[in-house]
Amino acid sequence: MNDTNVSQRLFRRYLKDQGLPHTRQREAVAQVVFASAGHLSVEDLEGRLREMGHRTGKATIYRTLDLLVRSRLVMEHDFGEGFKRYEHRLSRDPVHEHLICLECGRVIEFESWEVQDVQARVTQRHGFRPARHKLEIYGLCRECQEAGVELPDDGLTCPIERA
Amino acid sequence: MNDTNVSQRLFRRYLKDQGLPHTRQREAVAQVVFASAGHLSVEDLEGRLREMGHRTGKATIYRTLDLLVRSRLVMEHDFGEGFKRYEHRLSRDPVHEHLICLECGRVIEFESWEVQDVQARVTQRHGFRPARHKLEIYGLCRECQEAGVELPDDGLTCPIERA
DNA sequence: GTCCATGCAAACCTTTTGCACTATA
DNA sequence: TATAGTGCAAAAGGTTTGCATGGAC
């Protein structure tokens, strides 16, 4: 049995636990999310559902994503593009960080125990109770650099010295 | 001379460098941003401008914030509240991270050389050219914990074991 | 006098909501 | 059959844009 099927089962269990009906739309949305590797936008989801012959309304997609996020089977991300992206959590490390290319939108995942460490120390020092964190590094991926893309620099050239 | 004035001067220099006019609206928006300690929303800004007797249109506020962000004198943040917040960068460490309270929205800043370190190592490993990063830790601040607030837990109780 | 900024309102985009209808259990 | 979900379209909410007017240089 593959991970997609495991996730599907977990989602069905979640629905049962919450006393919610299991519908074909929920099944379809969950299936697409669990079967996709990357970080999906709602537009991506709509497209894949249409390809598969499902005619699912946007509202239902959003409502189902909300359930998937609540169940903790899916994570919601906002990479500053003006819309959200969704990533399933099974079959990968539950805690990981992201490198995000400002040019092409490519997302590379990595893990870092140091970040966990920083979180533990800094939250303890401030009496803060952590629920989750995110470390996102924005820049240019190798491919975009090799394609000659440059990061724009519009800022003050040297604020302090020229003040 | 205080930091607010330094920042104002830098902003005027930025405008001159870019060949852009220095207007009273830009002056007013910049002044409010530089004089404020926290992480301002556009709504906050509008309010403070009104208090000061300035009648500045929303569009002008957004356009001026865009200039301030481009000049690097101001940073834009998105803490997932559905709108952006703005923070001036002078008179504080240019690189710092945030603890964000999910209950009251309080923001606590901290610094971490370890994160810089992680960024350097992981970007080198992936041939990625970093432009900026953000580490945000979400949870409950001390005050909200003491007020008895709990983090909701709606997820699957134990996905793997009960699968 | 030439540009550019401003202000207003309309447009935009993603996400949410109301409601009549349909499907689940 | 009771309860909740679905789909559509409208609304919401923050942000952006078009355009006529006014200000900066």
Side-chain angles (χ1 to χ4, degrees):
Chain A
M1 178 185 289
N2 62 30
D3 291 326
T4 300
N5 286 335
V6 172
S7 298
Q8 286 283 53
R9 266 174 52 180
L10 289 169
F11 184 48
R12 284 195 281 264
R13 185 165 71 69
Y14 175 76
L15 292 174
K16 183 174 290 184
D17 282 358
Q18 303 285 315
L20 301 171
H22 172 253
T23 67
R24 64 184 102 262
Q25 288 91 337
R26 285 173 177 170
E27 179 83 14
V29 172
Q31 186 182 330
V32 170
V33 174
F34 294 139
S36 302
H39 301 74
L40 294 169
S41 65
V42 169
E43 204 181 343
D44 294 335
L45 264 172
E46 276 192 291
R48 301 206 189 178
L49 285 166
R50 216 176 304 111
E51 285 172 19
M52 295 172 67
H54 288 97
R55 233 162 318 282
T56 314
K58 250 200 243 297
T60 298
I61 295 177
Y62 279 105
R63 286 185 280 230
T64 304
L65 284 170
D66 185 52
L67 291 173
L68 287 164
V69 170
R70 279 180 198 282
S71 76
R72 310 262 172 108
L73 291 169
V74 166
M75 286 191 74
E76 186 180 76
H77 293 291
D78 185 343
F79 294 145
E81 300 166 294
F83 52 86
K84 304 258 173 65
R85 290 189 177 274
Y86 298 86
E87 171 193 30
H88 71 264
R89 294 184 53 184
L90 259 76
S91 84
R92 77 182 67 193
D93 285 289
V95 179
H96 62 261
E97 322 302 338
H98 295 99
L99 292 171
I100 299 142
C101 181
L102 292 167
E103 180 67 18
C104 68
R106 187 189 313 252
V107 176
I108 302 166
E109 300 181 356
F110 67 96
E111 291 160 64
S112 163
W113 60 267
E114 294 97 325
V115 174
Q116 310 274 22
D117 216 57
V118 168
Q119 165 165 316
R121 274 209 310 285
V122 81
T123 55
Q124 181 162 45
R125 180 163 59 230
H126 287 91
F128 195 93
R129 173 144 159 211
R132 62 175 188 273
H133 72 256
K134 62 178 171 192
L135 170 59
E136 291 166 0
I137 300 175
Y138 294 86
L140 290 182
C141 68
R142 196 197 309 263
E143 289 75 5
C144 287
Q145 287 174 69
E146 286 170 356
V149 177
E150 295 285 339
L151 289 168
D153 184 356
D154 216 23
L156 288 158
T157 38
C158 187
I160 305 304
E161 289 77 356
R162 292 183 57 188
Chain B
M1 174 185 293
N2 62 31
D3 292 325
T4 300
N5 286 334
V6 172
S7 297
Q8 286 282 53
R9 265 176 52 183
L10 290 169
F11 184 46
R12 284 195 280 265
R13 184 166 70 69
Y14 175 76
L15 292 173
K16 184 175 288 185
D17 282 358
Q18 303 284 316
L20 300 171
H22 173 253
T23 66
R24 66 183 102 263
Q25 289 88 340
R26 284 174 180 170
E27 179 82 15
V29 171
Q31 187 181 331
V32 169
V33 174
F34 293 140
S36 303
H39 301 74
L40 293 170
S41 65
V42 169
E43 204 180 344
D44 295 335
L45 264 172
E46 276 192 291
R48 302 207 187 177
L49 286 166
R50 216 177 302 112
E51 285 172 19
M52 296 172 66
H54 288 98
R55 234 162 312 287
T56 315
K58 250 200 245 290
T60 298
I61 295 177
Y62 279 106
R63 285 186 280 229
T64 304
L65 284 169
D66 186 52
L67 291 174
L68 287 164
V69 169
R70 281 179 197 282
S71 76
R72 309 261 174 110
L73 291 169
V74 166
M75 286 191 73
E76 186 180 75
H77 293 291
D78 185 343
F79 295 144
E81 301 166 293
F83 52 85
K84 304 259 173 63
R85 289 189 178 274
Y86 298 86
E87 171 192 31
H88 71 264
R89 295 184 52 184
L90 258 76
S91 83
R92 78 181 66 194
D93 284 289
V95 178
H96 61 261
E97 322 301 338
H98 296 98
L99 292 170
I100 300 142
C101 181
L102 293 167
E103 181 66 17
C104 67
R106 186 188 314 253
V107 175
I108 302 167
E109 299 181 357
F110 67 95
E111 292 160 63
S112 163
W113 60 266
E114 294 96 325
V115 174
Q116 310 275 21
D117 214 58
V118 167
Q119 165 166 316
R121 273 211 309 284
V122 81
T123 55
Q124 179 161 46
R125 180 164 57 231
H126 288 91
F128 195 93
R129 174 144 157 210
R132 62 174 189 272
H133 72 256
K134 63 178 171 192
L135 171 58
E136 292 165 0
I137 301 175
Y138 294 86
L140 290 182
C141 69
R142 197 196 310 262
E143 288 75 6
C144 286
Q145 287 174 69
E146 286 169 357
V149 177
E150 296 284 340
L151 290 168
D153 183 356
D154 215 24
L156 287 158
T157 38
C158 187
I160 305 304
E161 289 77 356
R162 291 184 58 188

